[in-house]
Amino acid sequence: MKTLSIVTIVLLALFACTKSTHNTTETNTSPAALSDSAAIADAVHGFYRWYTTFSQDTTHRVDFTDNRGEHLKLIQPKLERYYAHFKTSGFVSDAFIVNEYAFYRQCSEAWQHEAIDEVQSCLDADKYFCAQEWEPDFWTTSPVRIKSTGSMKVRATLYGTYFDNPMERNIDLVKENGKWLISHIECDMGVSTAETNAIQLKTSTIDEAYFTHKMARSKALVGSAFSRLELGNLVETDKLNAPGSKVGVLDTLLLSDRGRILIVGYDSGNETEGWLVQYDNRQKIVFWDQVYYADQVEYIKTINTQVLGKELVISTITDTDDNKSTKTNRYILTNQLVFERHNQ
């Protein structure tokens, strides 16, 4: 009986350890992922603990842009000084740094087509929290799913609750000199990195929560900035002149050398509207559609939109005389940057 009790205790201890590990990581059958799951999760959580502190430390803040001219400019030596901190953190690979340099070079090209008083591409959110506001606990404590993507390469997916909503975020890592290092963090800022060539729209759910959050933080577009974006084609004069009305750029869904796709919002307090607006490389509108609408009094008509990959799904709900109906328009963005309707 004594021997049996010892065996039972050992088995229970092993089961408890296994259960505890499973609560923090889930892996596929890759030997690297299975054997290093704790180290991979620690690398992700450790980076975000470091970055949370770093982003709040004004003594290490490096402003690598110059806003003294007509267009925002990138200051490469200061950019390198900024990313030197990332390198010394011990959590990122050389490839991570190279891709960040490439990303900001593309951003700087976009800035040359944007007036200094516009919302600048790539700078409307924190690049690693991928938001304007964040809850550090999601990034530093959430469970991690791990999938092998190649020899000594994995994708770690943080999953959990973010501002009371479910969320997942992908982070790629490579194993170098026996240590797992971050090579890429998923965050679509409207510009593709060197690792991403496929056309993808920024994933978004354009609903009341999205619109309220984005509109409150957007800069009002007036005068030359409003005219330059040709927004007079979207916002009627009487709406624009309504007391307390505001027009702002809420988001950038895509930015390339062939053009860009923005979400533009209008709010008068009683009525809110949002449009997807596509510009070519001459900054001329080539496509637009209403992607959000709500009258704040009766809610007779509501428009919400889901953006995922290359797909745009616009849902219009009307509710009049107790008759409720829903209409859905579905668009697919082609590689030629043309929105094609694919209703079924």
Side-chain angles (χ1 to χ4, degrees), residues 30-44:
S30 164
L34 285 171
S35 62
D36 291 357
S37 59
I40 293 167
D42 286 345
V44 173

Side-chain angles (χ1 to χ4, degrees), residues 114-121 124 218-219 221 249 252 260:
E114 300 171 352
I116 200 69
D117 58 350
E118 291 182 16
V119 177
Q120 301 295 298
S121 299
D124 61 345
S218 68
K219 182 179 179 181
L221 291 173
V249 175
T252 301
R260 57 178 171 161

Side-chain angles (χ1 to χ4, degrees), residues 76-89:
Q76 185 66 27
K78 289 188 175 182
L79 182 70
E80 294 173 4
R81 191 188 315 163
Y82 176 75
Y83 278 105
H85 293 294
F86 284 73
K87 186 61 179 175
T88 57
S89 74

Side-chain angles (χ1 to χ4, degrees), residues 207-224:
D207 55 12
E208 185 174 5
Y210 169 97
F211 188 93
T212 302
H213 177 80
K214 294 282 190 178
M215 197 70 191
R217 289 156 180 78
S218 68
K219 182 179 179 181
L221 291 173
V222 295
S224 61

